[in-house]
Amino acid sequence: MDFQKLDRLLNRFAERSVPGCACVIVKDGEPIYEGYAGYADVEARKPVYEHSIFRQASTTKLFTYVILMQLFEQGEFLLSDPLYTILPEWRSTEKFVTLPNGEVVVRPLDKPMTILDALTMACGMPYCMSPMGGSPVNPTLNGMNAVMAELCKDGRIPTLREQVREMSKVPVMFEPGTRWQYGFGSEIIGAVVEEVTGKTVRANMLERIIRPMEMEDTATLLDEEMYKRLVCNYTKKDGKIVKLPAEMDATLMVGSVPEGSRANLNASCRDFARFMGMLANGGRYKDRQFLGRKTIDLMRTNYLNEDQLRDFHNTYLAGYGYGLGVRTLMDKAAGNHNGSLGAFGWTGGSGIWSEADPSENVAIVYMHNMMPNEEEYHHLRLRTVAYGCLE
């Protein structure tokens, strides 16, 4: 296969629009392409290379969802089970309702929130992971903000279970299962994992994925050696790439946060491509089956109805639906997507893009760390060129 076009694209990105970037493509469980361009630290002229570590942000969720589906395969629960059967505090959840006269009132749910509602981002809990200033207009977000302000008083870092338990007291935005709202569902799923296994999400990630998949450049908390390989985080100011304050990384180091706090992955492009390659390969890496092929097919099935698809739609996600924690390609023409129907993955807010294509047994992972990440410009071009290089 000829990847010269992909090499040129990465170099163009690094020269014009990002500090540095990486891309790894895996086919049949083995890397067939690795490309690195630009700098992990522009000021120090430190290049991006195969062991550079990137902040994963929301692509962390993919680990959590795979672990949840491993537990599903073990018969620990059904996706249709009420959430309160595992997280009792969610038994009395209520919702906000807007009356015809515009008045907002609180009402009981028509039916209990299910594990599936949380897994498909249909639980009505937008993101609020740290206290925000002011009073948000959205009443659910306003309530979540108040809860987080109390939990994080005096700089305290709460555990995931504390966050999920307190959030259960806030009425949700809508009847669960009726709309789609990106947000707190993945944290709820993390709490389900912790309750079922009796271990933190961090411990589950380490024991179930990171160690057995030999991901030596991946961790939820970094030691000093790994931190030296973490790419610097950048933004743009007046058209120039500027390094973000180092204080933003204060919670990335070993010992900086409680073990039970919300986990965020840091990983090399090569490591994360190995994980996505496992999903493209029917759940198998080397001689170990991490997840069943048919379970992966379930994950990449669209779960959204017409109303929810309208909530989900934007130009970046055109052509995709949403499955069990992942976007999944439903319409190649709508998305101008030259890959395969059923290709699935997710995006990380710092510039990560990942997709697994089981029909071709191919996984593509791209990474940069910049905020805003300019994802539509970079990711859709990368996707087009990468798939175009495959025979």
Side-chain angles (χ1 to χ4, degrees):
M1 299 183 189
D2 185 355
F3 289 102
Q4 292 184 54
K5 290 180 290 186
L6 191 50
D7 285 334
R8 287 195 293 270
L9 181 71
L10 296 183
N11 286 323
R12 190 167 80 228
F13 284 173
E15 290 167 3
R16 301 179 184 178
S17 56
V18 300
C21 55
C23 180
V24 177
I25 302 177
V26 172
K27 181 172 175 59
D28 301 324
E30 296 294 334
I32 59 171
Y33 173 81
E34 291 191 49
Y36 305 95
Y39 295 100
D41 186 330
V42 175
E43 292 76 10
R45 312 302 283 177
K46 182 179 176 181
V48 173
Y49 76 122
E50 61 268 28
H51 297 295
S52 292
I53 295 173
F54 294 79
R55 301 159 188 80
Q56 297 305 300
S58 289
T59 38
T60 300
K61 297 174 175 61
L62 297 180
F63 275 37
T64 305
Y65 297 142
V66 165
I67 294 168
L68 181 87
M69 297 312 292
Q70 289 175 337
L71 300 173
F72 169 75
E73 286 187 332
Q74 294 170 16
E76 297 288 352
F77 50 79
L78 298 177
L79 299 183
S80 57
D81 284 348
L83 186 61
Y84 68 72
T85 60
I86 295 177
L87 306 179
E89 65 267 25
W90 288 80
R91 179 181 290 273
S92 301
T93 305
E94 298 177 307
K95 64 184 176 183
F96 283 112
V97 175
T98 303
L99 300 179
N101 65 1
E103 181 185 2
V104 177
V105 297
V106 175
R107 294 284 187 264
L109 298 183
D110 295 342
K111 63 179 183 60
M113 185 186 297
T114 65
I115 294 172
L116 181 65
D117 292 331
L119 186 54
T120 55
M121 295 291 179
C123 59
M125 298 291 284
Y127 256 134
C128 179
M129 298 309 303
S130 60
M132 299 176 290
S135 298
V137 175
N138 182 311
T140 297
L141 195 56
N142 196 23
M144 297 175 78
N145 187 41
V147 165
M148 284 305 305
E150 184 64 27
L151 280 177
C152 298
K153 187 182 296 184
D154 299 324
R156 180 178 179 274
I157 298 175
T159 65
L160 175 65
R161 275 307 279 122
E162 287 175 326
Q163 289 179 316
V164 171
R165 190 174 291 112
E166 290 302 304
M167 292 293 184
S168 70
K169 302 173 183 177
V170 180
V172 298
M173 289 175 59
F174 47 74
E175 178 68 26
T178 63
R179 304 298 297 268
W180 188 90
Q181 170 65 53
Y182 188 61
F184 200 68
S186 58
E187 281 64 41
I188 294 173
I189 291 303
V192 170
V193 166
E194 292 193 347
E195 286 295 318
V196 171
T197 64
K199 298 179 180 180
T200 65
V201 168
R202 295 181 194 277
N204 274 283
M205 288 179 176
L206 184 64
E207 295 173 12
R208 290 174 173 268
I209 298 175
I210 296 172
R211 281 177 179 163
M213 291 199 68
E214 305 167 305
M215 301 173 74
E216 296 181 357
D217 297 329
T218 299
T220 59
L221 293 171
L222 303 173
D223 59 26
E224 291 186 8
E225 189 279 328
M226 295 184 80
Y227 185 73
K228 290 177 182 178
R229 292 189 279 118
L230 181 70
V231 302
C232 295
N233 214 1
Y234 287 86
T235 188
K236 286 184 177 177
K237 186 175 182 180
D238 300 325
K240 296 182 179 180
I241 292 174
V242 179
K243 188 180 292 185
L244 285 166
E247 290 76 16
M248 294 183 67
D249 292 338
T251 59
L252 296 185
M253 300 294 291
V254 172
S256 63
V257 295
E259 165 67 17
S261 63
R262 179 174 177 258
N264 275 305
L265 280 171
N266 305 278
S268 68
C269 195
R270 177 186 283 181
D271 269 5
F272 208 86
R274 182 179 303 162
F275 167 75
M276 294 301 294
M278 174 272 291
L279 295 176
N281 193 36
R284 192 170 190 82
Y285 173 68
K286 292 188 174 180
D287 60 350
R288 178 165 174 173
Q289 193 76 32
F290 285 80
L291 202 61
R293 176 176 59 85
K294 303 302 289 184
T295 303
I296 293 172
D297 287 345
L298 180 66
M299 289 183 69
R300 63 192 184 111
T301 298
N302 173 60
Y303 272 75
L304 304 188
N305 60 34
E306 290 185 6
D307 288 337
Q308 291 171 317
L309 283 171
R310 281 191 286 271
D311 294 333
F312 183 68
H313 178 76
N314 57 43
T315 53
Y316 179 71
L317 294 169
Y320 289 103
Y322 195 77
L324 301 182
V326 296
R327 61 169 177 254
T328 182
L329 184 61
M330 297 171 58
D331 187 337
K332 295 172 64 172
N336 301 308
H337 194 309
N338 55 341
S340 306
L341 292 175
F344 68 101
W346 199 241
T347 292
S350 293
I352 314 302
W353 183 86
S354 62
E355 190 152 284
D357 181 350
S359 65
E360 299 286 342
N361 202 343
V362 165
I364 304 168
V365 175
Y366 166 83
M367 296 184 177
H368 68 245
N369 274 177
M370 185 175 73
M371 301 173 68
N373 62 20
E374 299 178 355
E375 60 188 18
E376 187 160 351
Y377 178 87
H378 294 97
H379 295 172
L380 301 194
R381 283 168 170 78
L382 181 283
R383 183 186 74 188
T384 299
V385 175
Y387 275 112
C389 290
L390 300 177
E391 293 179 356

